[in-house]
Amino acid sequence: MSDRIIFEDVSKFYGEILGVNRVNLSILPGITSLVGPNGSGKTTLMNLMTGLVKPSRGRVEILGYRTDDSENLFKILGYSTQFDAFPKGLTGFQFVYSYLRLAGRDRETAEQLAWRVIERVNLVDAANRNIAAYSKGMRQRIRLALALAHDPKVLVLDEPLNGLDPLARSEMIALFRATAAQGCYVIISSHILHEVDVISDQIILLSNGYVVAEGQIATVRGEIQEHPTQILIRCSRPRELAAKMLENEFTIEVSIHKDERGLLLKTRDADRFYLALNDLALNGTDIESIAPADDDVLSVYEYLIGNEEAVR
Amino acid sequence: MTPVWWSQIKAVIRLEIKKTFFAKRGLWIYLVAALPVLLFVAYAIATSGQQNRRASIARQSERPLSYQDLLAVQPGMTSQEVIAILGKPPINFHWTENRPTETGKEREKEPTIEVSHEDYHYSDGQSELYVGLADGKVKSIHLQEANNLGQDSIMFAGVFQFFFLRLAIFFGCLGIFMNLFRGEILDRSLHFYFLAPIRREVVMTGKFLAGLLATCTIFVTSELLQTIAFLWHLPSNVRDVYLNQNHGLEHAAIYLGVTVLACIGYGAFFLVAGMLFRNPILPTAAILIWEAINPFLPGILKQFSVIYYLKSLCPVDIPSAPGTSPVLALLISNADPVSPPLAVLGILVVALIALYASSLQVRRMEINYTTE
């Protein structure tokens, strides 16, 4: 049995319209974020992963299971969709309970599992209310409960933080992290880049149906050669340090921070830059901290896709 | 079938049954199913009223009359002769008419003669005789026969074949089975099933059985009520003879069986149609036309129809009235019926073919609500 989520030369067309094209991916355990503007193919990729749509070309395999083998696939996979519709007339509890009964669980087990997961998403008080009366955030949480109900190894979450208040967001992020820490695969799509930045182990950047980049954020950033690396240095005498750094040919641009307690440098050769900085520190230049300023998702997104529709 | 599949099918049925029975978009199905019941209730009420009236007329007669007595009245008899045969009429209407003479053509100075009219009503308790007299002589005779169970059975068979089977069950199954998948696509909730660890064929089977349970409950109940309403107005001795000696019970059981088979056949057809077509009008029209032209189809094609087998199973043949056009007569009669076991087998095979097509289609289905 494979230990990866594999996309092999996958394309999906909706008639004449491109969903995704020639996608090759090999996703490892941990939190993987799908990032891209609206219409970039994030949901299509998730629907392909869960068999809700079939690839026009290529092959998708989830830990060795074919996506048309729903009986076995969904024993290891839970999907929280963006579709904001539910079977009519069900309460939150009945929604999760019915799903577990569909999964073949007996009544007692289904009840226990349903209450356990409803507790996990903090929805116990509203569990016996009709879903039609739920707020957007509650509906989001009950969808998450459904995806988590059978303890899946692979969790696919389409915009899972939409509609949640800040407290619920942080609770959910903690939940995703805990799930990933158990060796699970958590695939998240999100518009909210700073959250993606905080939670992701790796990202898949999509634009117009194509995978633009994939991997760990720092690695992806390192591969973007046309944009110089930005580094923020905190120090007591920024002007003095700026002058010294400009003597190196690999320093492209230096600007003094607004608070006069640091400077922002741009370099095309980060390795040599850090060596030079080490020398300066050893020679007595006062440096408080050094941190990369653009190896986050937001920067990578802006460099590769532009700033359209990104939510910071 | 594994025990897990069976428990999953039951889970699907539990989810579907409430939706199927109480869907707002399906309320009209109850109305369609209730229409023939209302028809027979109305018929029973009208017939009971008529019987009571005839009994009352018979009680008011000078002496008990037989059917033969009623037949004895002939045109041209005088009122005295009629009264001599049947006695003084229990109900008698009398009026006079001013009839123009042959010379009085011009309206202003119309000379008239007075004509005396009388209407006598007699009854033997079952049949009713209307005798019209003018100037003391019988001019018209109208005998309303007692209710004929044979005629009533044919009427029941006609309503069953031409309304209940071809329209009520047909459109009822359309409303329920077509919505099993199509309705969920429109509600954008089908992914709930497709994201569960369950084979899609199992989902389809569960949905089909839920639809079947609903249609059978609705239409079998309707058929039972129709039978009760049909038998209600009959005197108890006539009812007992009909049920126990004239195959009445057997016919009632066959009608119920045919109702169930119709739900299976049309249900399977509409299940697959609901998956293949976005617009229900086209497949509905196609199936309706296909079923309607069945008598004119070649033998091999006839077999791929539901009505072909159902007609063969119906216990009462409907005779064509004299003068009926050959085309209509062909529609009414069943020219080449198959034997009941073959008919049952045929309908089950047709349903299985449709269900197999559904199972192939459900595996191919994609969730793409935005294109719907």
Side-chain angles (χ1 to χ4, degrees), chain B residues 286-301:
Chain B
I287 297 173
L288 195 60
I289 291 168
W290 180 257
E291 293 287 279
I293 62 167
N294 180 264
F296 310 105
L297 292 174
I300 186 78
L301 290 179

Side-chain angles (χ1 to χ4, degrees), chain A residues 12 14 47 50-54 68 70-71 74-75 79 81 83 85-90 95 98-99 101-104 146, chain B residues 4-5 7-8 11-12 14-15 18 25 187-189 191-200 363-369:
Chain A
K12 175 65 187 173
Y14 300 100
N47 287 349
T50 51
L52 289 189
V53 296
K54 319 271 181 213
D68 60 357
S70 55
E71 190 178 19
F74 289 106
K75 283 178 184 162
Y79 183 19
T81 66
F83 307 127
F86 301 84
K88 280 181 183 163
L90 295 186
F95 179 58
S98 305
Y99 179 83
R101 292 306 303 269
L102 282 178
L146 192 80
Chain B
V4 176
W5 287 357
S7 77
Q8 289 176 325
V12 175
R14 272 194 297 274
L15 270 167
K18 193 175 154 197
R25 58 164 76 103
D187 290 341
R188 300 179 166 224
S189 58
H191 62 277
F192 177 72
Y193 284 114
F194 284 7
L195 294 177
I198 174 172
R199 289 173 76 98
R200 289 191 181 180
R363 287 194 68 82
R364 280 199 293 265
M365 277 178 91
E366 296 191 356
I367 298 291
N368 190 12
Y369 299 135

Side-chain angles (χ1 to χ4, degrees), chain A residues 156-178:
Chain A
V156 183
L157 310 165
D158 199 353
E159 302 281 359
L161 303 174
N162 263 7
L164 298 182
D165 58 54
L167 181 65
R169 276 169 187 268
S170 61
E171 282 172 4
M172 287 306 127
I173 288 171
L175 186 69
F176 304 155
R177 281 193 174 134

Side-chain angles (χ1 to χ4, degrees), chain B residues 14 44 66 84 142 153 176 178 182 218 244 270 279 354 365:
Chain B
R14 272 194 297 274
S66 68
H142 178 59
S153 297
I176 287 178
M178 206 115 173
R182 181 66 29 203
I218 294 168
N244 301 315
F270 285 118
N279 184 347
M365 277 178 91

Side-chain angles (χ1 to χ4, degrees), chain A residues 259-277:
Chain A
D259 61 7
E260 292 279 338
R261 291 194 52 78
L263 65 156
L264 189 70
L265 291 108
K266 287 186 181 175
T267 174
R268 286 205 188 277
D269 191 340
D271 292 341
R272 285 176 67 196
F273 171 84
Y274 283 123
L275 283 174
L277 207 58

Side-chain angles (χ1 to χ4, degrees), chain A residues 204-215:
Chain A
I204 295 167
L205 215 59
L206 291 152
S207 178
N208 296 321
Y210 288 86
V211 173
V212 180
E214 61 154 312

Side-chain angles (χ1 to χ4, degrees), chain B residues 44-305:
Chain B
I45 291 169
T47 310
S48 298
Q50 194 181 47
Q51 280 171 347
N52 290 338
R53 192 163 51 83
R54 286 175 182 175
S56 163
I57 294 171
R59 277 197 302 274
Q60 292 170 48
S61 296
E62 276 185 347
R63 55 188 175 80
L65 299 174
S66 68
Y67 183 65
Q68 293 305 320
D69 292 336
L70 300 181
L71 289 175
V73 178
Q74 298 297 323
M77 282 181 168
T78 63
S79 59
Q80 287 82 2
E81 285 170 327
V82 173
I83 290 168
I85 298 169
L86 301 176
K88 204 176 158 191
I91 297 175
N92 181 7
F93 296 105
H94 178 263
W95 76 98
T96 53
E97 178 196 6
N98 287 324
R99 189 180 288 174
T101 60
E102 283 185 9
T103 53
K105 304 267 177 175
E106 293 173 25
R107 282 190 170 271
E108 291 80 22
K109 41 185 178 177
E110 212 173 64
T112 57
I113 54 163
E114 201 171 76
V115 180
S116 168
H117 288 278
E118 277 185 295
D119 267 1
Y120 294 169
H121 288 194
Y122 295 96
S123 176
D124 61 351
Q126 300 290 319
S127 303
E128 194 169 353
L129 179 72
Y130 297 84
V131 183
L133 299 106
D135 283 338
K137 289 203 170 174
V138 175
K139 291 289 179 195
S140 64
I141 298 167
H142 178 59
L143 183 64
Q144 274 193 352
E145 302 279 351
N147 286 320
N148 182 326
L149 195 54
Q151 289 293 329
D152 284 0
S153 297
I154 289 170
M155 177 194 69
F156 189 88
V159 170
F160 183 81
Q161 281 194 34
F162 294 104
F163 178 77
F164 197 59
L165 274 188
R166 289 171 193 251
L167 295 175
I169 298 181
F170 180 89
F171 283 104
C173 286
L174 158 81
I176 287 178
F177 287 92
M178 206 115 173
N179 268 324
L180 290 175
F181 280 92
R182 181 66 29 203
E184 292 230 38
I185 291 170
L186 294 175
D187 290 341
R188 300 179 166 224
S189 58
L190 185 60
H191 62 277
F192 177 72
Y193 284 114
F194 284 7
L195 294 177
I198 174 172
R199 289 173 76 98
R200 289 191 181 180
E201 294 91 330
V202 174
V203 174
M204 185 214 76
T205 308
K207 277 178 169 278
F208 177 73
L209 290 177
L212 194 60
L213 198 59
T215 46
C216 283
T217 306
I218 294 168
F219 290 109
V220 165
T221 306
S222 168
E223 181 53 32
L224 269 175
L225 293 175
Q226 284 173 57
T227 308
I228 291 167
F230 170 69
L231 296 172
W232 176 39
H233 70 279
L234 296 176
S236 59
N237 56 334
V238 177
R239 194 186 306 146
D240 287 344
V241 170
Y242 170 69
L243 286 176
N244 301 315
Q245 290 167 33
N246 283 350
H247 308 290
L249 268 180
E250 191 186 321
H251 287 185
I254 291 171
Y255 281 128
L256 291 179
V258 173
T259 302
V260 172
L261 285 171
C263 293
I264 294 173
Y266 287 129
F269 261 85
F270 285 118
L271 182 73
V272 69
M275 288 183 190
L276 289 171
F277 299 92
R278 284 180 197 167
N279 184 347
I281 295 170
L282 286 177
T284 305
I287 297 173
L288 195 60
I289 291 168
W290 180 257
E291 293 287 279
I293 62 167
N294 180 264
F296 310 105
L297 292 174
I300 186 78
L301 290 179
K302 274 184 186 177
Q303 294 169 17
F304 295 98
S305 148

